[in-house]
Amino acid sequence: MSETANDIWEPHAPTVADGLRPLSAEGLALKASGVATVRAVADGVVEVSAESPGDVRIEWRVPCVDATAFWTPEPRGTGWLPAAWSAPRRTGLAAGAPIAALIGTGDVALGAFAAERPDVLVGAGVVEETGEFRFWAQAEGRLTVRIDTSGRHFARCLADLAAWWGSGRTADIPEAARRPAYSTWYSMHQDITPERVETQAALGKQLGLDVIIVDDGWMTADRTRGYAHCGDWEPVSLPDTAAHVRRVHELGVRYLLWYALPFIGKGSAAYRKIGHHALADIAHLGAIVADPRYPEVRDFLTERLARAVEEWGMDGLKVDFVDSFVRAEPPAAGPEADCAGVDEGVERLLAAIRGRITAADPEAMVEHRQPYVSPGLWPYVTMVRATDCPLGPQENRQRTVDLRLAAGPVPVHSDMLMWHPAEPPEQIACHLINVLFSVPQISVDLAAQSTAQRETIAFWLGVFRAHLDTLQLGELRPARPDLGYPMVTALGAGTVVVARYAALPVDASGTGWRTLMVANADADPDVRLTGGSGTAAVTVQDARGRIVRQGEVELDRAQGIPVPRGGLLTLRRP
C-alpha cells in the first residue's frame, strides 16, 4: 500500500493514483478509485465496492454537525474528534478491526462504517476547511465497505455492521465461556503452585466463579518476569499436571492455561529448534517472535499448545500476545515458508490449534485479548478480554463496552478485577458494576477477603449469572461515549438492566419491561426515575445484597429512590 500506519495523511495530499471519482449515493459525498459500485442495503445504509489491479480507495464525507465523539473498538479509541490529517490506522487479522462511527447528540450515529476484509488502512477526521468529517478506507485489489448514515442509536448501527461481518462465519461458543472466571495473574503473578491454584478454585466456586485461568509462571521456576523461558511449555510449576487438573474438575471448575503464543525464549530448547525462523528479536524480553509463515513453526507451536487439552485435560487456552506477530515489518520469507504474508500464517496457526483442541474436547475454550479483535478471528476464539487496566474501573467499563459493540457473537471478558486488601465492599461492588455487561474475571486472593468482601463478590456474581441473557445477550444501549459511558442499559425479554456510573436520571418509560434493575456505582444515592407509569414493587439491596428497603412506588411521579453506592434497585410490575 502507498501509506503506512505511521504516515500523516495531509488533507490535500494526492489520492490513490490521483484517481478518485464521485459516485452517486443519496445524501452522501462519496468517491472511489478503480471500478466501483454502490448498492443500497436499507434506508441510510449503502454498500460500496471498488476493484483495481493495485490499491483501491473509498472516501466519503458527512456534515460534522452536532458531533460529540468518534468511536473505534481499540483501547482509548473513543471520545474525541480527530483531525483529517491524523495518522491513519492499519487493521489486520491480529490488529484491531475495520469499524468506526461518528456519534452525535442523543447517541445517534452520524456515520458508521465497517470494511468487509480485515487488512485495511483507514483514516477519519475533521476537515478544517469545510467542517465536514471525512472517512476513507484503502486496501489492495478489492475493497467493500458498508456505510450507515441512518441516524439510529450508534450501538444499533454497530451491531448491524457486526452482524454483516458474521454472515457466513461461525463462532462456536461453549456455555462456560460466558461464566465468571478467576485469574491467577494479579493475585499470584508467576508464583504458581498446584496447591495455590486448587485453593483459589475451591473458594471461587463457592462465590460463583466457574472457570479458573492459570497465567504466566506455570512453565518456569523463574520468578523475575520476562519471556526467556517461553517456548518449551513444560509444566515446571504444575507437577503431575493431569492429576492436578482432575482435582480442579472435581470442584466443578473449568480450567484454562496461559500461553504467550509468539514468544520463543532464548533460554529454551525450542529456541534451538525453531529460533532461526524469527519475525523479530525482542532483546529486552529475552525472546524472539516466531514466524508463522513456516510450517515447521506452526506444527511445533500447535503440538505444544494442544498438549494442555489432549494430555492434561485442560478445558482450553488463554492465547496471549497474538498481536506481537504483526508489530514489526517482517523479514523476507525463506524458501521453506508456505504463506504469502504473516496474517495468513497466523490464521493457519490459530486454525490448527483450534482444530486440535476441539477434536479432543468440542467444548474447549480459547481466550483472545484486545487489540486482536478482528472478526476474521471469530472461528478460532470463544472469548475476548479487555486489555490490562489493573484497578481501573472506568477503563474496564469503556473497554468492555467498546468490545461488546463490535464483538458480534463472541463473549467479552473484563480485564481481571483486583483491589487493595482494605477495599470497602461498596467499591468492590462498583468494580463489578463497571463490567456488568461483560463476563467478569477476578484476580485477588480469595482466602484473604473479609466476610463483607466475600458477600459482595457472591452477591454481584449472582446477578451476573441470574441475568446472563439480558446482560450479555440483550440489546446493549450505552450512553454518552464522549463521557466514557456514564450510563449503560441492556434490554432483554421483559427485563431491563441499567448501570448508573454518574448522577443521571433513569428512564423508566416503556411497556416492555416487567423487571427494571438499576445498579448504582455512583456516590449519589438518589436514583431518580422518569417517564414511568403505574405501580411497581421495589426492592433495594446494598453492596452485599442485604435488603435495605421494600415496598411499592408510583412510577408516574418523578421521584428519587435511595440506593446505596454499590447497591441494586429492582422494580417489578405485573
Side-chain angles (χ1 to χ4, degrees), residues 57 206 229 254 291 305 353 364 434-435 497 574:
R57 180 182 174 106
Q206 296 170 11
H229 302 278
R254 302 289 186 93
D291 192 337
L305 271 67
I353 293 169
N434 270 279
V435 299
V497 180

Side-chain angles (χ1 to χ4, degrees), residues 350-433:
L350 296 175
I353 293 169
R354 178 86 167 129
R356 282 282 294 272
I357 66 172
T358 52
D361 176 4
E363 295 292 299
M365 294 175 278
V366 177
E367 181 192 281
H368 286 180
R369 172 180 55 80
Q370 277 180 314
Y372 42 103
V373 296
S374 166
L377 296 178
W378 289 356
Y380 319 119
V381 63
T382 63
M383 61 260 256
V384 59
R385 179 177 65 82
T387 195
D388 299 23
C389 50
L391 252 175
Q394 193 279 337
E395 279 289 318
N396 225 343
R397 172 174 84 242
Q398 184 155 342
R399 292 176 186 186
T400 52
V401 170
D402 284 344
L403 280 176
R404 273 286 309 273
L405 293 170
V410 180
V412 170
H413 282 230
S414 73
D415 184 39
M416 297 79 73
L417 303 182
M418 58 158 289
W419 49 80
H420 189 275
E423 193 82 283
E426 293 77 13
Q427 184 60 18
I428 292 172
C430 289
H431 284 297
L432 287 157
I433 295 170

Side-chain angles (χ1 to χ4, degrees), residues 306-350:
R307 293 174 68 206
V309 178
E310 293 175 344
E311 296 181 26
W312 305 330
M314 302 284 183
D315 299 287
L317 314 172
K318 174 178 179 172
V319 180
D320 215 347
F321 297 110
V322 173
D323 53 315
S324 294
F325 282 121
V326 295
R327 284 185 176 174
E329 190 68 25
E336 302 93 345
D338 64 351
C339 295
V342 174
D343 271 5
E344 182 183 349
V346 170
E347 184 162 18
R348 289 191 185 191
L349 173 59
L350 296 175

Side-chain angles (χ1 to χ4, degrees), residues 16 74 89 171 195 197 207 241 246 271 337 391 429 462 517 554 564:
V16 173
E74 298 172 4
R89 59 190 179 100
E195 295 76 19
V197 171
L207 298 174
T241 313
R246 282 195 297 272
Y271 181 73
L391 252 175
M517 303 170 67
E554 296 293 332

